[in-house]
Amino acid sequence: MKFLKVLLLFFIIQVQAQQGGMWIPSLLDGINESEMKNLGMKMSVKDIYDVNNSSLKDAVPQFNGGCTSEVISPKGLLLTNHHCGYAQIQSHSTVDHDYLTDGFWAFKMEDELPNKDLSVTFIVKIEDVTQLVLQGTETLSSEAEKQQKIQKNITSLSNSLPKENWQENKIRTFYEGNQYMLFVTETYTDVRLVGAPPSSIGKFGSDTDNWVWPRHTGDFSIFRIYADKNNKPAPYSKDNVPYTPKHFLPVSLDGVAEDDFTLVFGYPGSTNEYLPAVAVEQIVNELNPAKIEIRDKALKVADAYMRQDNAIKIQYASKYASIANYWKKWIGESQGLKKSNAVAIKKSEEKQFIEKVTKAGKEKEYGSLLNDFEKNYIEIAPYALARDYFQEIVLRNTELLKVVYNVYQLDQIYKFRGEQSFNDRKNNLISGLSSLYKNYNNNVDRDVFEQLITLYITKSPRQFLPKSLNNVEVKKLADEIYTNSKFTSYEGFKEILEGDARTVLKNINNDKAFLLVKELTDIYNTQIAPKYEEINLKITALQRDYMKAQLELNKDKRIFPNANSTLRVTYGKVKGYEPKDATIYTPITYLEGVMEKYIPGDYEFDVSPKLIDLFNKKDYGIYGENGKMPVNFIGTNHTTGGNSGSPAIDANGNLIGLNFDRAWEGTMSDIYYSPNICRNIMVDARYILFVIDKYAGAKNLIEELKIVHPKKDKSSKNKKKK
Ligand code: ARG
Ligand code: ASP
């Protein structure tokens, strides 16, 4: 009896210990359910995903391909992050109506703003189609043939599998090619902007606080989905009506406390949780440091100019933010991987793996996997590094080189597709690059060029260095290119592209910037990319077999598929953490913290007078708690890029928060998740309601919501009983 109790206790601890993982909602099983219930969930898995009845999944569409959103009213009101709706908020902003700075609120539906190129996609159902996708591949021996056949099957199945005519079939691979799932989806394209707080709330802390806990950002914006009279997707029309959802999330005023259950539902983009140790070593020791150093130099140059010159600050703000985002993430990721000994842990797991392979008598199938990984990662190393240098320096961080790279492609288009395609592409480029030049400063870019080309010469693998960069004096080269190249201004760019293809080609081939990019790109296209692709194809196949082996040999282990931009459930609890020795972070922040960070007039930490006033008066309405206004909280939910805008859901299916970021010390979770240190960051739902109601006065929106307060209801019932 006692033994049984101990066993049971052990089982519970085991089940409780399991956190991390991004699960496919249609495949949540009894173990998931008991894990969630042990964490405090009161729902059943059917409440999360059900094909025949409405369920949580019907309230959680993907937002414009890269973020997540959730429906929060019976009239299609949609919540996502401020940084997810940023482009739309920006596109409606002018000097007179600066919605980025001042916020935007539609007090009537007529005032809601339509958006070009914005869509949300709901999942109707999910089905396993592995056997159908793999049909006819068994007999094929080469990897390339297999992949071709799979692609062909996917295309034909997407066309032939049943769906309604307004729906789409999408097939995605899971477990690195070991499983294929069909998603039947519905995409709505009339999505209008309804509300956004000022950036001083929605982007409070900006880049300095990005990826950082403690955090104080009200990172939310509000949209509305419109449909035709039959509630079906339709392009924008003023006759469209608010969409009636199959399900929408009630918003809870209960708030959170440490150890409360949280479920995050959304569309994580991509993770790499099952890499062999050798791959993680390569990321930590070679690839991340190279990319970090490149961006570090580029950012320092821009920062110095931005501090001196307000016009440059505006021109570079958004570019700076996006380059800084992953720069900062990689630094956190590398540190986390080192600190958690991820490589050593992976190596010891690999030892166990080999033992299991031997024990199962599977040496023939899986015995050489780890050696093959080793061999291929050694082989790919210089190509992977050279590829990163090329992509980061030419395609990403030096704008002149990026422009010229586009022009080089024009040259190739003429060679392979002729004059007509050349002209089409040329006109596209001329109109497409005008916005780039609007935010281009020749001095900034010149200095970035000097720094980054120096890195190219001194740090990228020598064997791929173009002749013209051998023994060159970079400063002189930079001066020469940035004074003489036509591509340094939009006028010059248009001028050099004037005339027929032959004239253009002749002229561009006299431009030094063009000649340099041509040399770099030719080397990339002939010596780097093909070999990289070739080895990478082998690594992909190994990764698939390695995954298959792990699934087969670890039947007792819970293995979730890597993120692939499909709908996933992750669950955990509200929890603080210990970022370093003698430092403990608690899991909830308050408006007090906003005021502690307040720097009047600062572009990152300014606070608006209205918010200060509400704070001074403690005018929090029904949204505060014990005289304080909660702002953000963290949890152990396993999230990644793409989970931005995901709902944080309580034990009963109510909205308690809005996911938007992760804490820096745990950004390694894309490669190695540890519940000790990996935390997702959410906006407290009450802060969102407070901003909508008290700050913006948009009562019209509050009235649409279903606001619940289960804890209060319970206690008042109890009082009545007494
Ligand atoms: N780090 C978050 C994510 O990866 C937020 C990025 C937007 N904010 C910013 N300051 N750049 O998307
Ligand atoms: N900020 C990310 C996003 O935009 C979320 C994350 O990486 O944790 O999706």
Side-chain angles (χ1 to χ4, degrees):
M1 195 59 201
K2 198 163 174 201
F3 172 74
L4 261 183
K5 259 192 192 159
V6 171
L7 199 75
L8 194 70
L9 197 71
F10 178 74
F11 179 70
I12 289 172
I13 289 170
Q14 279 289 53
V15 165
Q16 274 182 345
Q18 168 81 36
Q19 282 180 78
M22 305 167 165
W23 306 96
I24 304 171
S26 57
L27 299 182
L28 290 172
D29 58 15
I31 304 181
N32 289 121
E33 185 157 329
S34 55
E35 281 170 0
M36 290 192 267
K37 290 199 160 146
N38 279 316
L39 288 164
M41 186 180 77
K42 301 281 184 328
M43 299 176 283
S44 78
V45 294
K46 280 223 157 211
D47 296 321
I48 299 172
Y49 176 92
D50 196 350
V51 191
N52 303 314
N53 299 293
S54 73
S55 55
L56 290 181
K57 79 142 179 28
D58 298 315
V60 187
Q62 190 172 33
F63 186 83
N64 222 19
C67 279
T68 305
S69 54
E70 51 276 358
V71 186
I72 52 169
S73 95
K75 292 184 214 153
L77 208 59
L78 194 70
L79 183 66
T80 188
N81 288 142
H82 187 264
H83 80 260
C84 294
Y86 200 75
Q88 284 72 35
I89 306 167
Q90 179 174 35
S91 77
H92 295 295
S93 294
T94 60
V95 183
D96 295 331
H97 305 279
D98 187 352
Y99 300 140
L100 282 179
T101 307
D102 305 324
F104 167 79
W105 302 96
F107 294 98
K108 302 189 294 299
M109 281 191 191
E110 301 88 88
D111 297 339
E112 298 175 357
L113 302 172
N115 298 286
K116 253 194 247 141
D117 305 322
L118 175 61
S119 64
V120 298
T121 300
F122 288 92
I123 307 286
V124 181
K125 70 173 180 193
I126 310 174
E127 258 171 33
D128 192 316
V129 290
T130 311
Q131 289 199 337
L132 295 172
V133 170
L134 295 182
Q135 232 163 42
T137 59
E138 305 82 358
T139 49
L140 303 173
S141 52
S142 95
E143 189 54 34
E145 276 177 326
K146 251 187 211 164
Q147 290 310 323
Q148 254 171 28
K149 176 74 183 155
I150 288 173
Q151 283 316 317
K152 233 174 109 187
N153 286 349
I154 288 180
T155 312
S156 78
L157 287 166
S158 303
N159 291 326
S160 63
L161 288 167
K163 65 167 184 69
E164 305 293 344
N165 59 18
W166 65 87
Q167 300 177 331
E168 250 186 291
N169 284 332
K170 293 177 187 158
I171 295 173
R172 298 281 180 268
T173 178
F174 293 75
Y175 297 109
E176 336 294 25
N178 286 288
Q179 188 175 27
Y180 290 84
M181 305 287 275
L182 166 75
F183 293 79
V184 180
T185 64
E186 285 177 3
T187 297
Y188 287 79
T189 51
D190 186 353
V191 183
R192 304 184 196 169
L193 178 63
V194 174
S199 291
S200 61
I201 291 175
K203 205 179 184 300
F204 183 74
S206 198
D207 292 313
T208 301
D209 265 11
N210 191 20
W211 302 111
V212 165
W213 184 257
R215 187 67 155 276
H216 300 86
T217 312
D219 195 345
F220 79 94
S221 60
I222 299 177
F223 290 80
R224 189 189 306 279
I225 307 170
Y226 281 78
D228 69 12
K229 299 238 151 50
N230 302 316
N231 209 32
K232 296 285 176 297
Y236 170 80
S237 151
K238 60 178 180 2
D239 299 330
N240 283 347
V241 294
Y243 167 71
T244 308
K246 288 187 210 139
H247 182 70
F248 68 90
L249 301 180
V251 187
S252 172
L253 292 180
D254 268 3
V256 293
E258 183 134 25
D259 291 324
D260 276 0
F261 172 77
T262 55
L263 180 152
V264 172
F265 208 4
Y267 298 82
S270 93
T271 57
N272 269 309
E273 312 282 350
Y274 306 101
L275 293 176
V278 51
V280 179
E281 253 173 332
Q282 196 165 87
I283 291 171
V284 177
N285 296 336
E286 292 177 48
L287 303 180
N288 272 0
K291 292 188 293 187
I292 291 165
E293 190 180 19
I294 292 167
R295 291 199 178 190
D296 197 47
K297 299 261 191 231
L299 288 166
K300 281 210 175 96
V301 170
D303 182 66
Y305 277 98
M306 286 163 78
R307 280 177 196 282
Q308 278 170 24
D309 185 330
N310 210 31
I312 295 180
K313 199 184 91 186
I314 294 169
Q315 282 182 312
Y316 278 73
S318 160
K319 287 184 274 189
Y320 189 95
S322 99
I323 294 168
N325 192 32
Y326 265 62
W327 164 78
K328 199 163 177 182
K329 190 215 156 190
W330 291 324
I331 298 175
E333 181 175 274
S334 288
Q335 287 188 5
L337 289 170
K338 280 187 200 153
K339 196 171 161 185
S340 62
N341 289 317
V343 171
I345 291 172
K346 290 231 169 211
K347 279 191 175 150
S348 86
E349 284 170 2
E350 284 168 9
K351 253 197 201 132
Q352 290 168 20
F353 172 79
I354 292 173
E355 281 162 20
K356 278 189 188 163
V357 169
T358 314
K359 215 167 133 199
K362 295 265 181 179
E363 290 99 330
K364 235 180 103 200
E365 268 177 277
Y366 304 132
S368 66
L369 273 177
L370 290 166
N371 286 335
D372 290 345
F373 268 131
E374 191 86 28
K375 201 179 108 235
N376 281 289
Y377 272 103
I378 289 173
E379 207 189 329
I380 207 171
Y383 302 97
L385 191 63
R387 178 172 174 267
D388 276 349
Y389 273 98
F390 178 79
Q391 294 192 341
E392 281 289 313
I393 292 178
V394 180
L395 305 187
R396 180 86 219 218
N397 288 296
T398 323
E399 286 189 284
L400 184 72
L401 301 185
K402 190 157 62 180
V403 168
V404 179
Y405 177 79
N406 276 293
V407 176
Y408 177 72
Q409 286 184 314
L410 191 63
D411 167 294
Q412 300 290 300
I413 285 172
Y414 178 65
K415 274 195 195 124
F416 295 109
R417 287 193 243 146
E419 184 102 25
Q420 184 56 45
S421 308
F422 172 90
N423 283 327
D424 293 346
R425 172 82 190 159
K426 183 176 105 173
N427 293 330
N428 272 345
L429 268 187
I430 290 175
S431 61
L433 289 180
S434 82
S435 62
L436 181 145
Y437 276 108
K438 219 169 77 195
N439 290 328
Y440 175 84
N441 178 293
N442 203 45
N443 296 333
V444 179
D445 207 57
R446 184 221 161 274
D447 291 1
V448 170
F449 174 93
E450 186 180 335
Q451 295 285 331
L452 300 196
I453 291 297
T454 304
L455 283 182
Y456 216 117
I457 294 171
T458 52
K459 300 278 181 81
S460 80
R462 279 216 79 78
Q463 66 267 41
F464 305 121
L465 201 63
K467 277 203 197 78
S468 73
L469 291 183
N470 264 329
N471 302 320
V472 75
E473 201 186 311
V474 183
K475 193 173 168 319
K476 242 167 101 186
L477 179 69
D479 286 336
E480 201 179 326
I481 285 181
Y482 282 81
T483 12
N484 296 326
S485 170
K486 288 278 180 216
F487 297 106
T488 54
S489 74
Y490 191 42
E491 289 65 43
F493 166 78
K494 283 190 292 194
E495 193 190 311
I496 200 169
L497 292 188
E498 251 163 46
D500 61 7
R502 290 184 54 182
T503 316
V504 174
L505 294 190
K506 198 178 109 233
N507 289 338
I508 55 181
N509 274 290
N510 280 323
D511 192 284
K512 262 224 133 157
F514 183 83
L515 294 176
L516 176 62
V517 169
K518 186 175 163 178
E519 222 184 339
L520 286 164
T521 310
D522 281 342
I523 292 176
Y524 178 74
N525 285 345
T526 57
Q527 298 174 35
I528 301 169
K531 195 76 189 165
Y532 176 88
E533 300 300 341
E534 181 197 317
I535 308 168
N536 198 42
L537 195 66
K538 288 190 213 157
I539 289 179
T540 310
L542 288 172
Q543 196 70 51
R544 183 192 54 217
D545 294 346
Y546 188 42
M547 193 78 246
K548 180 162 173 261
Q550 294 190 51
L551 289 168
E552 252 174 59
L553 301 174
N554 296 314
K555 290 251 155 61
D556 53 327
K557 252 202 198 158
R558 311 272 295 134
I559 297 180
F560 60 92
N562 271 319
N564 59 357
S565 291
T566 62
L567 184 60
R568 301 294 179 91
V569 172
T570 170
Y571 43 85
K573 52 188 171 182
V574 177
K575 198 87 206 154
Y577 68 104
E578 219 183 297
K580 53 182 181 239
D581 189 31
T583 308
I584 291 172
Y585 284 159
T586 54
I588 302 170
T589 61
Y590 297 90
L591 204 53
E592 276 71 12
V594 173
M595 296 311 296
E596 282 168 10
K597 287 178 178 173
Y598 173 37
I599 307 174
D602 184 77
Y603 81 101
E604 294 189 307
F605 292 102
D606 204 3
V607 181
S608 79
K610 179 89 190 266
L611 190 61
I612 297 175
D613 190 46
L614 290 165
F615 170 75
N616 286 336
K617 293 187 181 134
K618 303 285 170 280
D619 184 4
Y620 304 146
I622 53 171
Y623 311 113
E625 186 180 291
N626 303 323
K628 287 170 85 175
M629 186 66 239
V631 175
N632 290 162
F633 63 97
I634 47 175
T636 58
N637 308 288
H638 190 176
T639 55
T640 187
N643 269 123
S644 275
S646 298
I649 294 169
D650 72 1
N652 297 304
N654 303 311
L655 185 82
I656 43 170
L658 176 63
N659 185 73
F660 71 102
D661 207 3
R662 278 171 286 164
W664 199 54
E665 295 83 357
T667 47
M668 63 177 185
S669 63
D670 289 349
I671 293 169
Y672 178 72
Y673 173 89
S674 155
N676 294 332
I677 197 126
C678 295
R679 293 293 177 272
N680 69 312
I681 309 181
M682 297 155 275
V683 194
D684 194 307
R686 294 168 300 175
Y687 189 53
I688 296 173
L689 297 180
F690 161 78
V691 172
I692 297 175
D693 185 348
K694 289 284 172 177
Y695 179 87
K699 301 259 186 238
N700 53 317
L701 302 181
I702 297 287
E703 272 157 22
E704 264 187 54
L705 308 176
K706 180 175 173 190
I707 295 178
V708 298
H709 203 163
K711 269 189 198 153
K712 193 171 155 207
D713 296 348
K714 219 179 179 175
S715 73
S716 61
K717 252 189 217 146
N718 285 345
K719 264 183 215 145
K720 265 184 211 153
K721 264 190 210 156
K722 275 180 200 162

